[in-house]
Amino acid sequence: MRRTRLLVAALAVPLIGAATAPVAAAQQALSGAATEFTVLTAAGGSVAAAEKAIKDSGGTVLRSNPAVGLITASAPANGFVERVSAKSAVYGAAKATSIGQVPKDKAVVKPDAVEKEARGAANGKPAVKKPAPVGMDPLDDKLWGLKSVRSDLSRTVQPGDKRVKVGVIDTGIDGAHPDIAPNFDYADSRNFTRDIPTDETGAVVDGFCEYRGCVDPADHDDNGHGTHVAGTIAAAANGFGVSGVAPNVTLVNVRAGQDSGFFFLEPVVDALTYAGDAGIDVVNMSFYVDPWLYNCQHNVADSSAQQVEQRTIVEAISRALDYAYRKGVTSVVALGNEHSDLGAPQPDATSPDYPASATHPRTIDNATCLSLPAEGPHTIGVSAFGPSQKKADYSNYGTEQISVSAPGGFFRDGFGTDWYRTNENMILSAYPRNAGVAEGNIDADGDITPDGAAIGVQKVTAPDGRVGYYQYLQGTSMATPHATGVAALIVSQYGKQGRGGFGLSPDSVQRVIEGTAAKVACPVPRTVDYLKEGRDASFTATCEGTPEFNGFYGHGAVDAYSAVTHGARYLG
């Protein structure tokens, strides 16, 4: 049983300023620079009442998401959370971003050391009754993950249905990439973020805005993470570059991530509710909601305002996941890269990761702390393994949250062999040219630089002049899109036309993906260390469970071919 089902009572703890709180909270003086806050309406309360409470507390309402009762407001930086949280119409509030800071010569970028480890080393459309099989693409021989999930076989039976829409909630999608463009739906794509040039300390976050208004187009990705994820899910089988697990489904950019890699509360909630409203069938979420790796009810290391913020995040994300689920969205999520048993989490020394230099050490209580969306309701949690099928050193695990496992890459796999510390151990997928140029891996002329060549960046040029780039990454972020692709194939194969359009219920998708996964037993011995690979003892992990279900692999490794050929037995 997933732990979130056991936390309903815990979420009801009184917030600062509730009926039992000191009256002083309502008298809190306001001071500081204008700052954006996200304010959550009390359960069962009205948005209008919460908006009035915001105004009465000295804030200005900017916009509202009535689907879950999340309101964005502007107010002075200090005192507003305590004041507005004292109102009965409000569940809680969380600081979002500061407004109008001046750039300074320092930067805040969300760490991606795991994913780029090698760089530190050397609906309405006609139904297709009998889907035509599709072939493989030139670079697919480098995609060991594609073969692991047996997409090479599944596409001969079910390559995907264009009516199936997969929402990539990430840093964006390069819709012009030659492997993405054939399956990219620009009309339904949305960007729910605004670039944040700097944070409240003046540290650079996203940097200079490339587009007027600081809002990127819906087919743009300055980070590269979202495009990589999208390519693994559904790069077209078009005789060019790579192909995805489900090469005929439709990709929709539902952007909630900053250029810098941060994922804040309001854009994530907006993305999830939009996915429900727009008829998205499956969403991929390879991130956690910043700034807290774990959102705790009442951690003694956190200030009272920070405690309110974390409880607000838990409630808002839970409401958004519930909303998407009720609307028929299957949510596939990454378990995370902290090499931790999510049922016995390690101490957190990384939160809050925004703004700069705000972190402080915290002991994490499993009963009252959640990492989101991985530990939210109605999610399919995915762990990562390497090409030898060994659990990746970085991957989170544990029977409490895991559903399935998938290829995520493991740079250090194959110790003692020529595999060890090679790019090919990771996952190759699409790479936006603009991101490659910014990272120094592609030059202004479009050629791969020596740095790019060292990390395995690939360039493919078609006879008609189209050019595509590809990069290797690793992480549960790379495992999750393999599972998402399988989920999209399940909807394609077993979906039905109903009053709400073509689709399949999230519960049905989960039963099939778990039921058809290839069973993988715990290793012998069950405790695995990565000391030879250069990791410390904190990476040592113990696999609990049976071959049918265990903490390393869940119900097993996702299997696209089994899902589309034998999945019917798991449907009611």
Side-chain angles (χ1 to χ4, degrees):
M1 178 179 290
R2 297 177 69 85
R3 176 160 53 93
T4 48
R5 297 176 185 172
L6 305 179
L7 278 180
V8 176
L11 292 176
V13 296
L15 298 181
I16 294 173
T20 58
V23 176
Q27 309 300 323
Q28 179 75 38
L30 302 180
S31 64
T35 301
E36 282 195 4
F37 295 85
T38 48
V39 180
L40 189 63
T41 304
S46 74
V47 171
E51 290 177 341
K52 182 178 184 302
I54 290 168
K55 295 172 185 176
D56 291 346
S57 300
T60 301
V61 174
L62 300 178
R63 53 194 174 272
S64 300
N65 183 331
V68 296
L70 193 70
I71 304 165
T72 302
S74 173
N78 304 313
F80 178 73
V81 167
E82 291 84 354
R83 184 179 286 194
V84 76
S85 296
K87 304 292 185 180
S88 61
V90 171
Y91 182 94
K95 184 180 290 186
T97 61
S98 296
I99 301 169
Q101 292 294 326
V102 179
K104 295 182 181 179
D105 295 329
K106 50 183 177 175
V108 182
V109 178
K110 188 168 181 178
D112 56 6
V114 166
E115 293 172 359
K116 298 180 179 179
E117 182 185 357
R119 303 184 187 193
N123 292 320
K125 295 184 179 180
V128 181
K129 295 181 179 178
K130 294 183 179 180
V134 298
M136 305 294 284
D137 280 353
L139 291 181
D140 285 353
D141 62 345
K142 300 180 183 295
L143 307 188
W144 62 268
L146 201 69
K147 299 178 181 67
S148 175
V149 304
R150 301 208 291 175
S151 173
D152 54 334
L153 298 179
S154 65
R155 66 187 58 196
T156 66
V157 177
Q158 176 57 265
D161 190 314
K162 287 293 184 189
R163 294 173 298 173
V164 177
K165 297 181 179 181
V166 179
V168 179
I169 303 181
D170 215 288
T171 62
I173 297 177
D174 177 8
H177 191 287
D179 263 328
I180 301 295
N183 291 334
F184 186 70
D185 185 342
Y186 184 87
D188 278 351
S189 292
R190 298 290 186 273
N191 174 16
F192 292 102
T193 70
R194 289 177 297 160
D195 285 351
I196 305 172
T198 62
D199 73 8
E200 63 191 57
T201 71
V204 175
V205 181
D206 295 325
F208 183 79
C209 297
E210 303 93 335
Y211 294 89
R212 290 182 177 89
C214 293
V215 177
D216 294 338
D219 58 351
H220 189 76
D221 179 13
D222 275 323
N223 182 286
H225 190 276
T227 299
H228 194 283
V229 165
T232 297
I233 297 168
N238 56 356
F240 181 96
V242 302
S243 65
V245 174
N248 275 11
V249 301
T250 296
L251 289 165
V252 182
N253 178 25
V254 192
R255 179 175 168 181
Q258 303 296 138
D259 291 346
S260 49
F262 290 102
F263 288 78
F264 296 119
L265 177 61
E266 182 192 1
V268 174
V269 169
D270 287 346
L272 279 166
T273 57
Y274 173 77
D277 293 338
I280 304 297
D281 294 286
V282 185
V283 293
N284 187 101
M285 292 184 281
S286 293
F287 60 87
Y288 69 82
V289 179
D290 295 290
W292 302 95
L293 173 59
Y294 294 97
N295 295 275
C296 299
Q297 294 291 308
H298 37 70
N299 195 298
V300 295
D302 302 327
S303 70
S304 58
Q306 289 173 333
Q307 292 176 16
V308 172
E309 176 179 280
Q310 291 168 77
R311 292 196 291 262
T312 300
I313 291 171
V314 171
E315 179 69 10
I317 294 296
S318 297
R319 289 187 195 179
L321 287 167
D322 281 339
Y323 183 86
Y325 168 79
R326 292 196 303 270
K327 292 280 190 169
V329 181
T330 296
S331 295
V332 188
V333 303
L335 282 188
N337 299 334
E338 291 73 39
H339 55 275
S340 185
D341 181 343
L342 289 177
Q346 298 182 30
D348 175 19
T350 65
S351 301
D353 60 9
Y354 183 94
S357 304
T359 61
H360 55 264
R362 306 190 304 160
T363 298
I364 302 303
D365 172 38
N366 186 51
T368 58
C369 300
L370 294 174
S371 185
L372 295 166
E375 298 189 278
H378 313 299
T379 55
I380 297 173
V382 186
S383 70
F385 57 77
S388 72
Q389 207 164 256
K390 183 177 183 178
K391 185 190 83 68
D393 53 358
Y394 56 79
S395 181
N396 286 350
Y397 60 99
T399 57
E400 190 174 276
Q401 300 299 333
I402 194 170
S403 297
V404 291
S405 55
F410 180 12
F411 182 61
R412 305 185 188 208
D413 204 355
F415 179 81
T417 75
D418 57 6
W419 287 12
Y420 182 61
R421 297 179 72 89
T422 55
N423 295 318
E424 291 76 13
N425 279 349
M426 301 192 293
I427 304 299
L428 185 68
S429 189
Y431 191 20
R433 174 174 173 169
N434 55 295
V437 170
E439 293 173 352
N441 298 322
I442 302 169
D443 65 23
D445 295 325
D447 295 321
I448 298 172
T449 65
D451 286 347
I455 60 171
V457 173
Q458 311 279 313
K459 177 182 179 180
V460 176
T461 304
D464 62 6
R466 291 174 300 141
V467 178
Y469 298 92
Y470 307 85
Q471 66 169 329
Y472 284 100
L473 296 175
Q474 67 173 4
T476 54
S477 284
M478 285 65 248
T480 305
H482 284 90
T484 297
V486 175
L489 291 178
I490 291 168
V491 180
S492 297
Q493 183 71 6
Y494 306 109
K496 304 293 183 182
Q497 190 72 35
R499 288 188 298 173
F502 182 82
L504 187 66
S505 76
D507 290 339
S508 295
V509 174
Q510 184 162 359
R511 286 197 301 272
V512 174
I513 200 170
E514 293 178 349
T516 60
K519 307 309 176 187
V520 184
C522 286
V524 179
R526 287 175 174 260
T527 296
V528 178
D529 68 55
Y530 300 88
L531 301 176
K532 297 187 300 295
E533 290 87 349
R535 297 302 198 185
D536 62 36
S538 70
F539 284 79
T540 298
T542 299
C543 183
E544 298 177 344
T546 67
E548 288 71 33
F549 180 78
N550 59 68
F552 279 13
Y553 303 99
H555 291 275
V558 293
D559 187 329
Y561 183 65
S562 181
V564 300
T565 56
H566 300 297
R569 68 183 65 173
Y570 299 98
L571 299 173

